[in-house]
Amino acid sequence: MVLQDIEYTMQVLNKVESEIEKVIIGQKGVIRKVLIAIFCGGNVLLEGLPGVGKTHLVKSIAKVLDLKFSRIQFTPDLMPSDIVGTNIISKDKDGSLNFTFQKGPIFANIILADEINRATPKTQSALLEAMQEKTVTVMGQTYKLDEPFFVLATQNPLEQEGTYPLPEAQQDRFLFKIEVPLPGFDEMIRIVNLTVESQMLEPQKVIEGKEILNIGRIVRQVPIAKPVLEYATRLVLSTQPHIEENDIARKYLKFGAGPRALQHLILGAKANALFEGRPNVAFDDIKSLAKSVLCHRIGLNFEAISEGLTQSDVVDIILQRQKEW
Amino acid sequence: MHESEMQILGFLKKVQRRQILCSFLSRLWQCVSASLSFVILVEALSKIVPMYYKSFYQIFILLLSLSVYTIFIISKKPALEHSALIVDSFGLKERLTTSLELIGVDTEISRYVKQTTAQMIKDIDIKKLIKPKFEKSKWMFMALLFFVFIILSNVHSPKMDEAKRLHLLSSLKKKEILKIEKQKKEVLKSYKLNEVEKRKIDEVLLKLKKEIKLAKTKSEIELTKQKAWFLLNDLKNSPTSSQFYSAVEKLKNFVAHDNKSNQSDTKNSLANTNTKSNNKSGGSSSSSNGQSIAQKSENNKSSSAFSKGESTQDVGSSLTASNDQGQVQQEQVQSSSAEANGTSNDSGSGASTNTVQNASGQSAGGGMQGESKGMTRVDNLDGRSGGLGAAIPRTSNKVQMPSIYTKNLLSLDASKKVLADTGQESGRVSQKQGIGERGQKLSFDRVFSQYKQEANEYIEADEVPSWAKEITKRYFENLENMR
């Protein structure tokens, strides 16, 4: 890596972001976080109401990054083989019958697992294995997934009847859980203008899939100062209710975030720094990603629920209390 | 070390210095307030307890607290990491902190971080960035303390005058003791004395030093020296070698002469002190200490106590003359009165008039019958004491003289004193035991009336030369009138 690479990376990231922002209106924060997850090699759990642009966002990213996109609509009757693929009997030229592996939709670079909580835990776990190992195993045969590989799962906060909420252990494997907010008044008008009245804009390819891996390597080299690292660590640890000093965690949380949360937080902060045009991690990077990293990794207790608090509220309180240095 | 690293370190050291300065200035009010509190405490204490070195203590407290504060601030100097974080908090987004940690790390990205940081810090003005915090209310509090101090220091305190007096006294004591030591060495070096003689001199001088140390007023020092004079006189009169005689004579002269010179030196300084204190108190506290009246009297009198050339006969000499020449009923008395008093010693034939101003203030009683051809007037400038022969100020009104010490206090046994024949009409010296016990304190009236009665008896019995009868009568009349 040379100096030009760093500057180039920062330029590319900005360019990618700008390109996606052209077609996804009013979701700047969401776009940034999704891109961070992609460049960090992580997976994202998107949570938002239907019609806020989740699928469109994923499609746009796939196009800008020149990645193969695949969408899986999760339903209760969806089977693991429907995701990873299956061996089918096929007749060759000789007329003999053989088992041939038919790849499922998971064999793509970007997977949109739509409404992942509607599938059974068995189907969910099939996807989660792929997320973690970047491989799938069918009939004892292991198949490596294409690089880069990202899963963008979505959850609908409404219609929770007949769903299978993801267990905490599985949620922990997602780098971020991003809440996709409803666009504001101005954004709504812009969306309408952009999509209804005129012809829809198509995002342009900015980089190739292979470059994502290079950028990922550069992201990991971004230096982080000791006080910043310590701040992030204190932040993660302060979600642990078993530590006596953590009044808030003890009061509102059943369980807190673990080491993986810290890893993801630091990695995400490094990528965020590059998006900001900085070659180093700042306190602000940690703060901006803390909620997305921590919210799905902490469990509220009865007191928090009875007080009407959400994970996001608790993380907010912890952030306010945590001193930088 | 790369240039960018040096730039970063240099910048951070500048920031560090600036932080120390700002920290010093921001918290200076604490230091000044604390030290001012102590200064005020000292000032208040000086109104209760005599404290001559008050100003010295106050300055010392200020300097000490300032030094301690400075050392504290320097010792608490921020680490470079802290300085970096401070600068980062102004929008550098931890760039400087990261760069500082990357010093010595030679990777592409670290070089990039350091280079970009070095460029950024070039435009940063530390003075604008880091400023001392001046909290108005706190500095107002400090100003209030200062105001209190100013008010308190302008309140006049009699204790301060007392402190000044005590200090002068202490200085005088030291000076006296040093002089005595010096004179002793000189005498012992100049004269060949045997051990017994040395011991005798030692005893006298030791006693003198001891009493000087115990003296509570300047007059007591003078009194002590008078005592020493008499003690030395006794030594001289005992059968001795010529060397010893000379040595004692020298010491006597020293004591007497020193007495005189000190009188003029210290009188001026004490008078100044009193004048100042009188001015401060608007003249209302003229008797704030025991010496005030006496010193006022001194001021009223001629300030050139020993300046008159023809009358530089010191006390010792005067007394010696009386003892040697006059037919004297010698009752050497001292007075502890705070009032100035004086008397004329009319013991001569009147051919000439010698004026001796007795600065010691404790003149022994003058000879009633002397051979001196001149008329000697002794003025007691000190006013702390007086004997029958002591001077009474001519201008003074009738004053009360509460008590005087008998001459016996001076360790001289008057009853055994043999006075030399004067060679005058009678040629006979009579001696009589003085009233009171040795060192007893007697009222002036009692002593005076006793002396007057005795004198009248001698006159009536024709034991006083005819030419001296009238003089003697007038002497006592004058003394009575002057009271």
Side-chain angles (χ1 to χ4, degrees):
Chain A
M1 185 180 66
V2 289
L3 288 179
Q4 287 78 5
D5 288 341
I6 302 162
E7 284 174 347
Y8 172 74
T9 304
M10 289 192 272
Q11 284 170 7
V12 164
L13 292 176
N14 279 324
K15 211 171 174 182
V16 169
E17 194 175 32
S18 308
E19 194 61 32
I20 297 167
E21 280 174 12
K22 281 180 189 172
V23 289
I24 307 294
I25 311 297
Q27 304 288 0
K28 195 174 177 180
V30 176
I31 295 166
R32 167 72 65 87
K33 284 172 188 168
V34 171
L35 286 174
I36 286 170
I38 289 170
F39 289 111
C40 291
N43 305 292
V44 176
L45 186 60
L46 291 166
E47 192 172 88
L49 293 169
V52 290
K54 296 190 289 286
T55 311
H56 187 46
L57 170 69
V58 177
K59 277 183 180 174
S60 303
I61 288 171
K63 196 154 193 178
V64 169
L65 300 179
D66 191 27
L67 296 172
K68 189 179 172 188
F69 167 72
S70 175
R71 175 180 172 167
I72 307 166
Q73 186 66 46
F74 280 60
T75 54
D77 57 351
L78 188 75
M79 299 301 289
S81 56
D82 297 332
I83 299 170
V84 297
T86 186
N87 284 325
I88 55 168
I89 300 169
S90 60
K91 193 185 276 185
D92 60 12
K93 289 178 183 176
D94 303 336
S96 56
L97 294 171
N98 292 314
F99 277 107
T100 312
F101 180 66
Q102 183 67 45
K103 286 180 179 175
I106 203 163
F107 286 86
N109 297 115
I110 294 183
I111 309 294
L112 176 63
D114 218 356
E115 296 191 274
I116 191 170
N117 55 338
R118 295 207 176 273
T120 57
K122 190 179 177 182
T123 312
Q124 287 172 2
S125 62
L127 178 70
L128 294 170
E129 186 207 339
M131 281 163 57
Q132 189 68 27
E133 309 297 333
K134 306 280 169 78
T135 56
V136 289
T137 306
V138 180
M139 302 284 283
Q141 183 74 38
T142 301
Y143 300 94
K144 202 171 183 298
L145 296 171
D146 297 336
E147 288 277 1
F149 177 79
F150 312 108
V151 174
L152 291 125
T154 67
Q155 278 191 143
N156 189 345
L158 305 174
E159 300 172 20
Q160 296 295 310
E161 291 284 331
T163 59
Y164 303 92
L166 287 172
E168 284 80 16
Q170 291 185 3
Q171 284 194 39
D172 192 40
R173 296 176 191 202
F174 288 97
L175 187 74
F176 298 142
K177 180 182 176 184
I178 304 165
E179 289 187 16
V180 186
L182 273 170
F185 180 80
D186 293 336
E187 286 82 19
M188 288 279 205
I189 290 172
R190 280 183 63 197
I191 289 168
V192 171
N193 288 340
L194 199 69
T195 56
V196 178
E197 290 181 0
S198 61
Q199 198 175 359
M200 261 186 84
L201 277 173
E202 282 294 319
Q204 301 299 309
K205 180 183 113 178
V206 177
I207 54 169
E208 290 184 1
K210 287 177 186 174
E211 282 184 85
I212 294 170
L213 297 175
N214 280 333
I215 291 171
R217 276 192 287 275
I218 291 170
V219 164
R220 286 173 183 273
Q221 289 179 44
V222 171
I224 178 167
K226 196 180 168 191
V228 183
L229 180 60
E230 286 173 350
Y231 171 71
T233 311
R234 283 199 304 272
L235 199 63
V236 172
L237 281 176
S238 61
T239 62
Q240 291 292 343
H242 66 269
I243 298 173
E244 278 197 17
E245 295 82 47
N246 300 338
D247 297 340
I248 297 299
R250 284 167 71 84
K251 192 175 179 187
Y252 295 121
L253 300 179
K254 274 194 296 193
F255 58 89
R260 190 183 281 161
L262 183 61
Q263 288 172 341
H264 288 177
L265 184 59
I266 299 299
L267 199 58
K270 285 184 173 191
N272 192 61
L274 287 180
F275 272 103
E276 291 288 335
R278 255 184 294 112
N280 67 294
V281 181
F283 290 115
D284 286 350
D285 298 321
I286 303 288
K287 285 179 198 170
S288 66
L289 298 177
K291 275 166 96 172
S292 302
V293 172
L294 296 175
C295 281
H296 61 289
R297 291 181 162 97
I298 58 173
L300 298 176
N301 62 15
F302 178 74
E303 193 172 345
I305 294 163
S306 64
E307 286 185 24
L309 293 173
T310 61
Q311 283 96 336
S312 177
D313 296 330
V314 176
V315 173
D316 273 338
I317 296 168
I318 290 170
L319 274 171
Q320 281 169 13
R321 287 193 166 204
Q322 199 66 47
K323 287 180 183 173
E324 290 178 355
W325 46 277
Chain B
M1 194 177 280
H2 294 290
E3 195 184 341
S4 57
E5 290 180 346
M6 286 170 74
Q7 280 176 350
I8 291 163
L9 278 177
F11 176 80
L12 284 174
K13 279 177 185 168
K14 273 186 198 170
V15 172
Q16 204 177 33
R17 283 197 290 273
R18 180 75 187 165
Q19 275 181 291
I20 291 170
L21 180 70
C22 290
S23 177
F24 182 85
L25 292 173
S26 301
R27 296 183 196 168
L28 188 62
W29 73 272
Q30 289 177 341
C31 166
V32 178
S33 300
S35 51
L36 266 179
S37 304
F38 280 108
V39 164
I40 288 168
L41 190 70
V42 169
E43 190 67 43
L45 273 175
S46 73
K47 310 286 176 196
I48 304 163
V49 183
M51 207 183 279
Y52 181 74
Y53 291 110
K54 178 190 75 176
S55 304
F56 169 76
Y57 294 145
Q58 288 172 334
I59 292 167
F60 177 74
I61 286 168
L62 279 171
L63 289 177
L64 181 75
S65 55
L66 204 65
S67 310
V68 169
Y69 175 69
T70 310
I71 292 166
F72 173 77
I73 290 291
I74 292 170
S75 68
K76 292 273 176 185
K77 75 170 182 181
L80 285 177
E81 289 80 7
H82 183 266
S83 303
L85 281 166
I86 289 284
V87 179
D88 281 337
S89 66
F90 290 101
L92 280 187
K93 301 274 180 189
E94 287 65 67
R95 183 73 68 95
L96 209 51
T97 309
T98 312
S99 302
L100 184 68
E101 286 185 13
L102 290 174
I103 285 175
V105 179
D106 197 23
T107 59
E108 282 294 328
I109 197 152
S110 68
R111 273 203 295 275
Y112 178 77
V113 172
K114 286 182 274 189
Q115 279 171 12
T116 50
T117 308
Q119 281 174 351
M120 287 171 86
I121 59 175
K122 272 180 189 170
D123 305 325
I124 294 174
D125 185 359
I126 303 168
K127 285 179 185 173
K128 282 181 185 174
L129 215 62
I130 303 166
K131 292 175 185 170
K133 289 175 192 169
F134 284 106
E135 291 173 71
K136 218 175 183 178
S137 58
K138 287 168 182 175
W139 283 93
M140 287 294 282
F141 172 70
M142 197 205 73
L144 184 73
L145 281 177
F146 186 73
F147 187 63
V148 169
F149 167 70
I150 293 291
I151 289 172
L152 205 60
S153 61
N154 278 316
V155 174
H156 176 256
S157 161
K159 291 289 175 187
M160 198 58 215
D161 300 334
E162 177 69 8
K164 282 176 187 168
R165 192 186 69 76
L166 287 174
H167 174 71
L168 280 172
L169 186 69
S170 173
S171 310
L172 188 66
K173 281 181 188 179
K174 281 178 191 168
K175 200 175 159 189
E176 289 294 337
I177 289 168
L178 278 172
K179 274 185 183 175
I180 291 163
E181 284 292 330
K182 195 181 169 187
Q183 192 63 27
K184 186 185 147 189
K185 278 181 188 171
E186 207 174 283
V187 164
L188 291 177
K189 200 177 172 184
S190 307
Y191 301 98
K192 288 179 181 175
L193 303 173
N194 61 34
E195 284 304 312
V196 178
E197 289 165 344
K198 279 183 185 174
R199 189 163 50 80
K200 280 180 180 174
I201 289 173
D202 264 350
E203 276 174 9
V204 173
L205 294 182
L206 202 67
K207 194 173 180 184
L208 174 62
K209 282 193 279 180
K210 201 174 177 182
E211 290 200 16
I212 284 174
K213 277 179 188 171
L214 293 172
K216 288 178 180 173
T217 61
K218 180 184 74 75
S219 298
E220 280 184 27
I221 296 173
E222 306 304 337
L223 178 63
T224 309
K225 287 169 81 176
Q226 285 292 321
K227 286 181 197 174
W229 189 91
F230 280 110
L231 288 171
L232 289 166
N233 200 41
D234 280 355
L235 288 179
K236 195 186 79 176
N237 292 332
S238 61
T240 52
S241 65
S242 61
Q243 287 281 319
F244 182 65
Y245 185 90
S246 304
V248 171
E249 189 62 30
K250 191 171 182 181
L251 283 171
K252 260 177 71 184
N253 286 339
F254 159 72
V255 170
H257 177 74
D258 193 46
N259 201 8
K260 187 175 67 179
S261 60
N262 278 345
Q263 182 74 21
S264 59
D265 289 350
T266 53
K267 189 181 73 177
N268 289 335
S269 57
L270 287 171
N272 287 339
T273 310
N274 255 17
T275 310
K276 280 180 190 172
S277 67
N278 288 341
N279 290 339
K280 274 187 181 178
S281 58
S284 62
S285 62
S286 60
S287 56
S288 61
N289 62 55
Q291 289 190 313
S292 300
I293 294 170
Q295 283 159 359
K296 273 175 120 181
S297 302
E298 285 171 17
N299 292 337
N300 291 335
K301 282 183 262 173
S302 167
S303 61
S304 57
F306 293 90
S307 61
K308 295 183 179 176
E310 73 275 16
S311 59
T312 50
Q313 221 180 346
D314 57 41
V315 170
S317 306
S318 168
L319 288 167
T320 311
S322 297
N323 287 336
D324 290 350
Q325 297 171 13
Q327 190 177 8
V328 178
Q329 184 185 20
Q330 191 178 357
E331 287 293 335
Q332 310 274 352
V333 290
Q334 301 160 358
S335 171
S336 63
S337 167
E339 300 298 331
N341 65 67
T343 186
S344 303
N345 183 1
D346 298 332
S347 57
S349 60
S352 63
T353 300
N354 281 343
T355 301
V356 174
Q357 291 179 313
N358 181 359
S360 75
Q362 50 165 327
S363 169
M368 288 181 65
Q369 200 173 3
E371 199 204 14
S372 305
K373 290 178 181 174
M375 195 165 73
T376 304
R377 185 172 69 237
V378 179
D379 287 348
N380 183 351
L381 291 174
D382 186 86
R384 295 282 298 170
S385 59
L388 279 175
I392 294 175
R394 282 154 286 164
T395 53
S396 65
N397 295 322
K398 192 171 184 179
V399 289
Q400 195 180 354
M401 297 180 178
S403 58
I404 53 175
Y405 283 103
T406 64
K407 181 233 166 208
N408 283 342
L409 178 69
L410 304 169
S411 305
L412 291 172
D413 192 347
S415 62
K416 291 175 185 172
K417 193 84 184 165
V418 178
L419 302 176
D421 191 342
T422 59
Q424 290 294 320
E425 286 172 9
S426 72
R428 186 166 60 86
V429 174
S430 67
Q431 192 178 13
K432 202 171 180 180
Q433 172 70 49
I435 56 165
E437 295 299 317
R438 170 182 268 191
Q440 190 183 351
K441 202 176 187 182
L442 298 169
S443 73
F444 180 84
D445 288 342
R446 194 181 153 194
V447 174
F448 179 76
S449 59
Q450 171 80 16
Y451 273 52
K452 192 182 175 187
Q453 194 190 335
E454 293 276 345
N456 285 336
E457 280 171 12
Y458 277 105
I459 290 167
E460 280 166 16
D462 283 337
E463 294 205 20
V464 177
S466 54
W467 60 267
K469 282 181 182 175
E470 194 56 31
I471 294 168
T472 310
K473 275 182 186 173
R474 265 191 278 142
Y475 170 71
F476 281 102
E477 280 167 12
N478 284 338
L479 277 177
E480 201 158 30
N481 291 336
M482 283 174 184
R483 292 180 63 221

